[in-house]
Amino acid sequence: MKRILLVIAVVALYALHQDIWFWRTAHPLVFGFVPIGLFYQGCFSIAACLLMWLLVAFAWPAHLEEEIEHSDTEEGRPH
Amino acid sequence: MIPAIFVFLYLAAVLYIGVFAFRKARGKQEAEDYFLASRSLGPFVFLFSLFGTNMTAFAILGSSGHAFSNGIVTFGLMASSSGLVIPLTIFFVGTRVWALGKKHGFMTPVQMFRDRWECSHIGTVIFVVQAVLLVPYIIIGIMGGGTTLNVISGGLVPYWFGGAIVALVVMGYVFFGGMRGTAWVNTFQTILFLTFGIIAIVVIGAGMGGFRSAANAMLASPALAPLLTRERISPYYFFSYTFIPLSAIAFPHILIFCLTAEKMKHFKKTVIFYPLCILAIWLPCVFLGVMANRVTDVPQIKAKQEARRVLATQGKNLAPEQRDELREQSAGDDVIMLLLQRYAPLWLAGLLGAGIMAAVMASDSQILALSTMFTEDVFAFYGHKQRFGEGVQVKAGRLFIVLITLFAYAVALRAPETIFELAIQYAFSGFAALSPLLIAAIFWKGSTKWGALASTIWVAASVVAVALFQHFVPAPAPGPSVVVWSLGSTEVLSRTPGGTAVLGFMPVVPMVIISALLMIIVSMLTRKPAPTTINRYFGV
């Protein structure tokens, strides 16, 4: 279930990049000088950061790391 | 000249970092130490160096120049889409490549492909395509260095001399420092640019009398108001651009960088903070590029706007060569430099010039990657490592660095810059279309070397086809595109003012989709590697 939600989140954010609703307008100017389309895309970058945090927190491929550490230990190599 | 002094101090500093890295590695003869810093980079250096590796002159000068001509759309096209797609590819592909590198000792993508698909010469074909797509970056880095030093010094440092200095410095720290030196220099460069980029936007904003009045003045001007929206850009074109960041993980220098992390957990910070780093660097560059349109007291900017106006109003009646000339005159790649010269105090202009220089010099990673690829995929693969030993392999890598830099400098002196700017555009699409190889190798047991070969040949052929098409069909004036092939009312192939459109999309979209389809179909029809090989990658 957790994985399905993360996949939906990734697809949804990808779709939200195509913000056709702010395509033809600069208004409102956020802080009095940032066009809304640019502000939206800036917020999109912050949302991407949050999504990456979710992926790292809930879908980190820890088994790969464990496999490497296990094989290093077996071979007596420092890691 | 004062800004140029700061730039020279900066160049001395990065050269010293390279030599310091050399001293740290003294006595070590292993190829893995020189080319991959013994796979020992910590989380902080890994984040900033990986990000710095991706920050080319294109990102800094090109983004503000693109925004100057096209408006705020630049950020959504190139930055925010990269802020999503690049960390996703690092998360899914980069971590797995790191693990496979640790497990099987790979140092290049081609080594992995050869082992995964049990192939030899097909790997060499992939190496050649990757190398050919990478070389223009090195050339344009040297050209950018020559131009930047020339502008910063007010013309006192000629282009040829500036290019030579940049080539020597980059060659110096890559030659001595290898991956360790390159990673440290990239970290230093990224921090420098992040710090002074923010100061620049404040200083330039104050100099222009505040952004609020500039934005409102632009909105009131019918010619400039569209730059604050995306009304001139097709949503298909905007969507197409989300395919371009797929190129990042397929670039050999980025993939090789993924092998340098000491532990896999070091990827965590890189994945999470990558979108914020992009935001911090691109947003100021794009915003300043757009706002440069309101600057009225810089003659060079006025000249660019006049060239743009002539192109828009009289372009249809002009010859293709005249249109190309006007496009070159209206290009805004130097607007950030012009704004700095006009509004920043000399010391700050110097520091920021050094920051811009840092971005321009990002070709270091490509030079090192090409050297790594040459020594591992050709020199070592064809038996020379066994014959001469690892010490000679590292020396061959260093010799290759000198030769490729000299070659790039010689070409940079003779060829027009626009050719390589175009080549880089094709290279982005080419590497994006090579990404299915990487994904198939890692995630699909059924992929085969013949599928990989079919995809690679398709990528090479499509890059050449797009280049030839754009060469023989001149770009039209701003406005409607020239339809070259249509079926009924559907425009299949068009020449747009900025490039090519296939069914309204950029060529990268069909290139990636067909590359993936070829990989799937041809792999399904051909013999798979032995089960023992597949089990080494996917477990029993």
Side-chain angles (χ1 to χ4, degrees), chain B residues 204-505:
Chain B
I204 292 173
M208 287 173 69
F211 290 129
R212 200 176 283 238
S213 62
N216 282 307
M218 282 185 74
L219 274 176
S221 157
L224 297 179
L227 296 175
L228 301 179
T229 72
R230 280 164 285 176
E231 63 185 64
R232 289 178 180 167
I233 301 287
S234 136
Y236 290 112
Y237 182 80
F238 191 77
F239 170 76
S240 303
Y241 243 96
T242 60
F243 280 61
I244 295 283
L246 285 172
S247 59
I249 199 70
F251 275 119
H253 57 283
I254 301 292
L255 206 67
I256 290 170
F257 239 101
C258 286
L259 299 169
T260 61
E262 185 186 12
K263 291 179 184 292
M264 204 174 89
K265 66 181 180 191
H266 295 347
F267 281 83
K268 289 182 179 178
K269 283 193 176 67
T270 304
V271 168
I272 294 171
F273 291 112
Y274 203 97
L276 293 186
C277 287
I278 286 201
L279 178 71
I281 287 193
W282 280 72
L283 198 62
C285 288
V286 169
F287 190 70
L288 287 178
V290 176
M291 287 298 136
N293 284 286
R294 268 308 297 164
V295 172
T296 50
D297 52 355
V298 178
Q300 295 98 318
I301 291 180
K302 294 296 284 178
K304 289 175 194 299
Q305 288 174 318
E306 177 58 17
R308 191 198 299 166
R309 191 192 63 75
V310 173
L311 189 63
T313 53
Q314 300 163 32
K316 282 178 191 158
N317 306 320
L318 297 173
E321 298 77 30
Q322 288 173 306
R323 286 203 292 266
D324 286 344
E325 200 176 319
L326 283 170
R327 269 192 199 94
E328 206 164 311
Q329 285 170 13
S330 64
D333 284 0
D334 56 348
V335 289
I336 284 266
M337 311 278 291
L338 294 170
L339 290 176
L340 284 174
Q341 281 178 347
R342 172 66 186 85
Y343 295 115
L346 281 176
W347 64 271
L348 184 60
L351 279 171
L352 285 162
I356 289 167
M357 208 66 202
V360 167
M361 284 164 57
S363 55
D364 51 4
S365 315
Q366 287 100 345
I367 291 175
L368 184 66
L370 263 184
S371 167
T372 312
M373 289 156 64
F374 169 74
T375 53
E376 289 295 325
D377 300 338
V378 179
F379 185 89
F381 182 75
Y382 288 104
H384 297 92
K385 183 178 174 180
Q386 277 182 325
R387 200 167 149 205
F388 299 111
E390 211 161 336
V392 173
Q393 187 192 353
V394 174
K395 281 179 188 155
R398 285 193 162 120
L399 178 66
F400 186 84
I401 286 164
V402 175
L403 293 177
I404 192 76
T405 312
L406 289 176
F407 167 76
Y409 177 64
V411 176
L413 283 185
R414 290 163 192 275
E417 192 166 352
T418 45
I419 288 177
F420 296 99
E421 282 172 357
L422 284 173
I424 284 180
Q425 284 178 29
Y426 306 140
F428 272 111
S429 301
F431 277 112
L434 282 175
S435 62
L437 264 75
L438 204 51
I439 293 164
I442 294 169
F443 292 104
W444 186 31
K445 286 182 187 181
S447 60
T448 71
K449 61 182 176 185
W450 299 111
L453 181 64
S455 287
T456 308
I457 290 173
W458 158 253
V459 170
S462 54
V463 167
V464 172
V466 174
L468 288 175
F469 175 72
Q470 293 191 184
H471 177 73
F472 288 113
V473 182
S481 50
V482 175
V483 180
V484 177
W485 179 30
S486 63
L487 284 174
S489 60
T490 309
E491 295 174 2
V492 179
L493 182 64
S494 314
R495 180 70 163 102
T496 64
T500 303
V502 182
L503 294 168
F505 296 99

Side-chain angles (χ1 to χ4, degrees), chain A residues 4-19 21 40 44 47-48 51, chain B residues 84 88:
Chain A
I4 293 171
L5 286 175
L6 285 170
V7 170
I8 292 171
V10 170
V11 174
L13 195 60
Y14 182 71
L16 285 171
H17 182 259
Q18 198 79 1
D19 60 325
W21 44 91
Y40 176 89
F44 178 91
L51 176 67
Chain B
L84 175 64
L88 273 180

